[in-house]
Amino acid sequence: MTQFQSKLLDEIKRIISDQRRVLWEEHDLYSYSFDASFGTYLPDVVVQPVTTDEVVKLVKFANQYKIPITPRGHSTCLSGGPLPVQGGIVCDMSKMNQKLLIDEEDLVAIVSPGVLTSQIHKAAEEKGLMYPPDPSSSGVSTIGGNLAENSGGPRGLKYGVTKDYVIGLEVVTPEGEVIRTGGRTVKNVTGYDLTKLIVGSEGTLGIITEAILRLIPKPPASETLMAIFDDLVDSGRAISKVLSSGILPSKLELMDQASIAAVENYEPCGLPTDAEAILLIEVDGHPHAVADEIASVREICKQVGAREIRMAKNDKERQELWKARKLVSPAIAKIKPTKISEDATVPRSKIPDMFKRLKEIRAKYNIDLVVFGHAGDGNLHPNIIADKRDKEEMRRVEQAVSEIFAAAIELGGTLSGEHGIGTMKAPFMEMELGTVGLEMMRRIKKAWDPNNIMNPGKIFPEPGQKLVLTDE
């Protein structure tokens, strides 16, 4: 134990009475040194608060001595948001999971940050309600992490992302004060919208200790189809035509040929490995409207060039169709050990153009580039499969990732649709926001966190910082 750790522990043990929730041994620190992105950073100590009062005392202590403090949930983050890049204290919020209240009259859920997102889904559905944001990691991710990164999911096309369902927060500021933003009302225009500012700020402006989430009635019916295409660009045209027809699917997901082949090699599902793309499209709502809409979607896909369309006749077949999409991530991870998952997003009208650019980038850098994801909202999820032990390959990957971001921005899109910025995309922030736009964000950060203790090293690039995916 270092001298710094020893002094740190003495103070923290006065704040957290249960010593089992203060971790400092090396094997514990390594367990908190990584997330689902790149890089390993050891904290000096890990603390697991269970009350707002404990968070307040911890943050006041960190602010007084200017010690970095990094909040985190279960660290499923793909952008480096919960990495303790400057050491200090990791504040593990996953133990703060005591509250999950569903208010059917106000149509809200009141939750602690450590509650799993899937637990909110289940509790809402038991009351005939729905909490729409459903990131793929919802079975293991905490709502606090979803709030920090403004997570999305396949329903984002119709229902939006996490920030669209947060109407109130309790937050511990970087100076250890407790504030409440918003409330239980859907309408609230009092002053600046601090709720929207906090959601997606990646733990750089405070630590969320409670959230009030908006719920909606669960749609009574849904229908799903799979459309198979021989040309990836045709599938992009189908997406644009469906969305411009007046139909708004609840889910519209794409798998390209590489992801189809990967799934069939991993766990055969009867997918056509010679197809260049498949679309999975789901509509929901009133049963009569759903029947009309799925028939229209089928006709549009045929007109654009789909060679085959498979309709789910019942819930079992619907689950089978979606199973293929859920298997993509584990399937491609078997091809090579290193997966770089990006979420650059473009306007819907530019989806075919982005497909073309991705094909060009794949050929130019000779990389294993797989495209799948929430194609309906332009959130394409290009994934590069590589081996980080191959330094020459990783340098080509770095160039390809940079070019993917540049293509998205040139087409009027954004660096991130739902994964956040963290450490991975910080070097590209000025490309999207411009010098002045980024400076305005820096000023907000400085006003909230004058000592820069709250999750430092995220979102804002250091001078000359570049994307580095090797250990050198």
Side-chain angles (χ1 to χ4, degrees):
M1 184 187 296
T2 65
Q3 191 175 7
F4 174 68
Q5 280 178 310
S6 179
K7 290 177 69 175
L8 198 58
L9 278 172
D10 288 343
E11 293 293 333
I12 289 173
K13 286 176 180 176
R14 293 191 184 97
I15 297 170
I16 308 292
S17 56
D18 183 351
Q19 305 297 292
R20 293 171 299 178
R21 293 190 279 112
V22 181
L23 310 175
W24 55 271
E25 294 195 58
E26 194 173 26
H27 59 270
D28 291 321
L29 301 183
Y30 271 102
S31 298
Y32 285 83
S33 67
F34 59 89
D35 66 357
S37 67
F38 271 79
T40 302
Y41 303 88
L42 281 180
D44 292 290
V45 63
V46 177
V47 183
Q48 298 172 323
V50 294
T51 66
T52 300
D53 186 55
E54 286 184 344
V55 176
V56 166
K57 289 175 179 172
L58 193 64
V59 171
K60 281 187 174 178
F61 164 69
N63 190 51
Q64 181 181 353
Y65 294 100
K66 298 181 181 177
I67 300 167
I69 183 165
T70 303
R72 76 169 237 167
H74 281 162
S75 274
T76 55
C77 184
L78 293 164
S79 61
L83 296 176
V85 296
Q86 295 184 15
I89 302 167
V90 161
C91 189
D92 174 7
M93 300 298 289
S94 66
K95 302 293 183 187
M96 198 166 169
N97 57 5
Q98 298 81 1
K99 188 179 287 185
L100 172 49
L101 303 175
I102 304 294
D103 187 323
E104 295 168 80
E105 194 168 349
D106 285 346
L107 289 176
V108 297
I110 303 168
V111 297
S112 300
V115 172
L116 296 183
T117 313
S118 59
Q119 292 174 323
I120 301 170
H121 291 152
K122 184 180 177 191
E125 287 174 11
E126 286 173 353
K127 304 285 187 183
L129 302 173
M130 182 167 82
Y131 173 63
D134 59 341
S136 299
S137 58
S138 62
V140 290
S141 64
T142 63
I143 187 64
N146 289 184
L147 294 164
E149 300 297 330
N150 193 12
S151 302
R155 292 197 194 114
L157 169 62
K158 182 174 183 177
Y159 294 105
V161 295
T162 298
K163 70 179 179 184
D164 300 311
Y165 294 87
V166 186
I167 58 175
L169 293 172
E170 179 185 85
V171 180
V172 177
T173 72
E175 292 173 300
E177 304 296 334
V178 179
I179 61 169
R180 281 197 166 271
T181 72
R184 294 169 71 109
T185 58
V186 174
K187 284 187 173 180
N188 184 332
V189 295
T190 304
Y192 293 137
D193 192 342
L194 297 182
T195 306
K196 289 285 194 291
L197 177 61
I198 295 293
V199 176
S201 64
E202 305 189 20
T204 61
L205 300 180
I207 298 178
I208 296 168
T209 48
E210 186 175 289
I212 304 173
L213 309 174
R214 184 168 65 89
L215 305 176
I216 62 173
K218 186 181 177 185
S222 61
E223 295 282 355
T224 303
L225 66 74
M226 174 188 287
I228 300 166
F229 292 86
D230 288 327
D231 188 311
L232 181 65
V233 177
D234 281 348
S235 69
R237 293 193 186 99
I239 293 167
S240 296
K241 198 158 183 181
V242 167
L243 296 175
S244 61
S245 71
I247 298 169
L248 189 56
S250 53
K251 299 178 184 177
L252 204 172
E253 299 281 302
L254 173 132
M255 293 169 58
D256 74 349
Q257 188 172 40
S259 54
I260 295 168
V263 168
E264 281 300 296
N265 287 331
Y266 180 72
E267 186 175 328
C269 297
L271 300 178
T273 53
D274 61 333
E276 200 161 280
I278 59 176
L279 294 179
L280 285 160
I281 305 176
E282 184 166 295
V283 295
D284 67 6
H286 189 280
H288 294 306
V290 165
D292 286 344
E293 287 183 350
I294 201 69
S296 297
V297 170
R298 178 178 185 163
E299 191 56 36
I300 289 169
C301 289
K302 275 187 178 176
Q303 289 173 3
V304 176
R307 80 175 195 207
E308 182 186 349
I309 294 174
R310 301 177 185 177
M311 303 281 291
K313 297 184 183 66
N314 50 49
D315 191 55
K316 184 182 176 186
E317 290 188 7
R318 185 159 49 249
Q319 297 302 323
E320 284 295 314
L321 291 182
W322 284 112
K323 180 183 173 185
R325 168 65 183 86
K326 289 180 179 178
L327 287 174
V328 174
S329 281
I332 61 176
K334 285 197 72 177
I335 300 172
K336 286 185 178 178
T338 306
K339 182 162 80 82
I340 299 97
S341 177
E342 294 304 344
D343 66 326
T345 305
V346 296
R348 293 168 181 165
S349 62
K350 299 297 182 184
I351 291 170
D353 300 290
M354 190 62 180
F355 282 160
K356 287 181 185 174
R357 296 289 291 271
L358 291 172
K359 283 176 105 173
E360 291 165 2
I361 291 168
R362 175 162 47 200
K364 179 178 178 181
Y365 294 103
N366 187 28
I367 52 171
D368 290 314
L369 174 61
V370 178
V371 182
F372 65 95
H374 322 312
D377 53 19
N379 191 189
L380 296 176
H381 285 319
N383 276 240
I384 300 173
I385 312 304
D387 185 341
K388 69 178 181 181
R389 294 168 296 186
D390 185 340
K391 292 183 172 51
E392 190 277 330
E393 180 182 40
M394 294 307 289
R395 291 200 173 88
R396 281 186 280 119
V397 171
E398 289 169 358
Q399 292 175 300
V401 170
S402 300
E403 205 158 312
I404 289 170
F405 288 145
I409 301 299
E410 286 168 20
L411 292 171
T414 180
L415 297 171
S416 178
E418 60 185 12
H419 292 173
I421 301 302
T423 55
M424 293 282 287
K425 304 187 187 83
F428 306 96
M429 284 289 276
E430 191 169 324
M431 183 166 64
E432 178 171 343
L433 299 175
T435 305
V436 177
L438 188 57
E439 175 57 24
M440 293 305 289
M441 287 195 183
R442 287 188 196 275
R443 292 183 192 181
I444 292 171
K445 166 68 173 171
K446 191 168 181 57
W448 276 71
D449 184 13
N451 289 327
N452 193 30
I453 62 156
M454 195 60 71
N455 203 10
K458 310 297 164 55
I459 298 178
F460 303 104
E462 299 295 330
Q465 183 179 347
K466 294 181 179 177
L467 175 69
V468 178
L469 300 176
T470 62
D471 294 329
E472 290 183 351

